[in-house]
């Protein structure tokens, strides 16, 4: 089956008389003993339905988490005492903050790299225990050579993780490039409606799956049944939403690149995320407050278009330009999106 068919059909109850079409929301802290489920921190049939569906899209076994950062933290917890983690200096700021926190407590050594500089990344892999990749990066939009980095990391005996939040399995399935783990903020495109937080980890390695499942059981970084049900409902339309957001983004990029008042338009060629760089932080502030349809808000990947100057966050990398505004393109009509965006740019450029 092809991806959009899998997105619709995976993780459903069996096609039998009286079975519901959709997995029910199982609200349970405990189960009658003697079976496989036992307790609500270990298992929930609504998570399982979500995990089967996302697993079918990424091509691996899936574990659902309470948030993207709960999934990131569970993976980083596997790194041995004092071991080295290679990661993009422009990875999602929360992931970089977790690495900094672990390093400041003497738990790991973090080596931050420009993930698009393959030669430098490959050199850094030599004595690494874990290589963290995000591609494209949020919000710098750098793209990594995942197969080349993975080969070098494996030669050094390191595990490789790809944060696939921006590309989604609709555009990129990193497990096919032999990476060990894929991580998602399902809060973004997978949920897709800005109404939940969730994370996920995927792998084809049964041993890694068992270790991560064991950590999740022990730490309790689990999603609620309702969140899992909503995320699964979102996943059904993931390919449709990504295709529409991408078509909108490609048209907007064409028009944005024709404007003289933007220093840079960063777009990796696929997906619904664009970063534009304005002449200054002040111009970018004015821009983010000047739209009417586009919502000034953090986060991304919803059906509605949003924008945000990233350096308004103290936690954002200082190498991200002050004037960079991240655009999350939604599924609205592209002409309405352009009318609002270009009018806001006109207002912020003329002061
Ligand atoms: C948002 C985000 C995360 C963190 O996910 P949460 O669900 O907010 O915890 C991780 N990686 C990327 C690329 C993100 O955009």
């Amino acid at each position: 089956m092809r991806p959009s068919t899998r997105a619709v059909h995976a993780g459903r109850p069996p096609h039998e008389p009286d079975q519901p079409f959709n997995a029910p929301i199982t609200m349970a802290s405990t189960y009658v003993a003697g079976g496989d489920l036992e307790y609500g921190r270990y298992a929930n049939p609504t998570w399982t339905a979500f995990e089967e569906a996302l697993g079918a899209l990424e091509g691996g076994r899936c574990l659902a988490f309470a948030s993207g950062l709960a999934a990131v933290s569970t993976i980083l917890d596997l790194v041995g005492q004092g071991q080295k983690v290679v990661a993009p200096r422009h990875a999602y700021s929360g992931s970089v903050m977790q690495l900094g926190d672990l390093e400041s407590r003497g738990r790991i050594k973090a080596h931050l790299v420009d993930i698009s500089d393959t030669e430098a990344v490959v050199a850094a892999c030599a004595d690494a225990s874990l290589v963290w990749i995000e591609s494209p990066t949020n919000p710098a939009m750098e793209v990594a050579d995942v197969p080349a980095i993975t080969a070098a990391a494996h030669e050094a005996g390191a595990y490789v993780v790809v944060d696939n939040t921006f590309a989604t399995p609709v555009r990129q399935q990193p497990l096919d490039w032999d990476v060990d783990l894929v991580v998602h903020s399902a809060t973004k495109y997978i949920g897709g409606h800005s109404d939940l937080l969730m994370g996920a980890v995927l792998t084809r390695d049964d041993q890694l799956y068992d270790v991560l499942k064991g950590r999740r059981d022990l730490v309790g970084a689990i999603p609620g049944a309702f969140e899992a049900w909503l995320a699964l409902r979102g996943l059904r339309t993931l390919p449709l939403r990504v295709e529409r957001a991408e078509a909108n983004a490609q048209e907007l990029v064409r028009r944005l690149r024709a404007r003289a008042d933007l220093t840079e338009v960063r777009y990796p060629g696929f997906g619904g995320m664009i970063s534009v760089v304005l002449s200054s932080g002040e111009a970018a502030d004015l821009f983010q407050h000047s739209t009417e349809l586009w919502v000034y808000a953090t986060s991304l990947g919803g059906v509605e278009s949003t924008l945000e100057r990233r350096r308004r966050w103290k936690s954002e990398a200082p190498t991200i330009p002050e004037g960079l505004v991240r655009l999350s393109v939604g599924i609205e009509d592209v002409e309405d999106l352009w009318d609002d965006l270009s009018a806001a740019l006109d207002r912020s450029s003329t002061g």
Side-chain angles (χ1 to χ4, degrees):
M1 278 194 289
R2 285 145 186 94
S4 39
T5 312
R6 284 202 293 270
V8 171
H9 287 278
R12 298 243 183 225
H15 282 194
E16 285 164 13
D18 290 339
Q19 284 284 344
F21 259 43
N22 293 291
I25 306 171
T26 303
M27 301 300 286
S29 62
T30 191
Y31 306 92
V32 177
D36 297 324
L37 303 179
E38 293 285 3
Y39 186 55
R41 187 163 14 83
Y42 306 147
N44 179 288
T46 317
W47 307 345
T48 307
F50 168 80
E51 290 167 344
E52 278 177 21
L54 183 55
L57 284 182
E58 287 282 9
R61 296 175 75 188
C62 177
L63 285 163
F65 284 85
S67 68
L69 281 188
V72 170
S73 157
T74 305
I75 295 170
L76 293 180
D77 203 31
L78 303 183
V79 178
Q81 178 62 34
Q83 297 292 296
K84 174 174 153 184
V85 178
V86 175
R89 65 188 170 132
H90 291 154
Y92 172 67
S93 56
S95 306
V96 176
M97 282 164 78
Q98 282 200 13
L99 290 165
D101 175 57
L102 289 169
E103 185 164 47
S104 74
R105 291 186 284 121
R107 265 281 290 115
I108 62 159
K109 286 199 283 278
H111 183 146
L112 300 184
V113 291
D114 172 355
I115 205 69
S116 62
D117 183 350
T118 307
E119 223 172 291
V121 181
V122 164
C125 284
D127 54 349
S129 149
L130 184 77
V131 178
W132 193 274
I133 299 174
E134 191 177 297
S135 183
T137 53
N138 175 6
M141 294 294 179
E142 297 137 335
V143 173
D145 184 344
V146 179
I149 296 170
T150 301
H154 282 169
E155 197 152 314
Y159 285 118
V160 180
V161 184
V162 172
D163 184 332
N164 206 27
T165 299
F166 265 38
T168 85
V170 178
R171 284 292 168 264
Q172 174 170 291
Q173 293 115 37
L175 295 175
D176 284 346
W177 291 323
D178 210 25
V179 313
D180 303 287
L181 295 165
V182 165
V183 63
H184 274 286
S185 170
T187 308
K188 315 292 168 58
Y189 284 101
I190 291 170
H193 296 74
S194 312
D195 52 10
L196 65 93
L197 273 90
M198 246 177 84
V201 177
L202 295 109
T203 185
R204 288 179 185 166
D205 182 327
D206 289 338
Q207 226 174 322
L208 273 177
Y209 175 91
D210 288 343
V211 170
L212 287 163
K213 168 81 167 72
R215 292 303 304 171
R216 189 183 68 174
D217 288 354
L218 193 59
V219 172
I222 53 167
F226 186 53
E227 278 72 12
W229 185 88
L230 274 179
L232 178 54
R233 168 175 259 217
L235 188 73
R236 299 296 181 210
T237 56
L238 177 68
L240 264 182
R241 288 184 286 103
V242 168
E243 283 159 26
R244 172 60 175 252
E246 180 180 81
N248 282 351
Q250 288 178 346
E251 183 56 33
L252 293 175
V253 165
R254 257 192 295 280
R255 298 182 191 189
L256 287 165
R257 287 198 167 134
R259 287 189 69 109
D261 52 351
L262 294 172
T263 311
E264 262 186 281
V265 178
R266 300 189 188 182
Y267 184 66
F270 62 92
M273 298 301 300
I274 307 169
S275 286
V276 294
V277 183
L278 280 75
S279 57
S280 66
E282 291 70 37
D285 272 335
L286 200 52
F287 174 46
Q288 73 182 357
H289 292 300
S290 296
T291 56
E292 284 168 21
L293 179 62
W294 291 69
V295 187
Y296 166 47
T298 198
S299 198
L300 58 106
V303 292
E304 56 292 285
S305 295
T306 61
L307 84 172
E308 164 184 56
R309 183 172 85 84
R310 280 302 296 179
R311 287 292 300 281
R312 78 188 181 90
W313 295 96
K314 295 259 180 302
S315 54
E316 189 53 88
T319 38
I320 296 296
E322 284 285 356
L324 184 144
V325 176
R326 188 183 67 190
L327 308 176
S328 173
V329 181
I331 64 168
E332 303 95 330
D333 189 292
V334 70
E335 297 302 334
D336 291 326
L337 293 179
W338 177 248
D339 288 349
D340 189 44
L341 203 63
S342 54
L345 277 172
D346 290 344
R347 278 193 287 273
S348 44
S349 305
T350 54

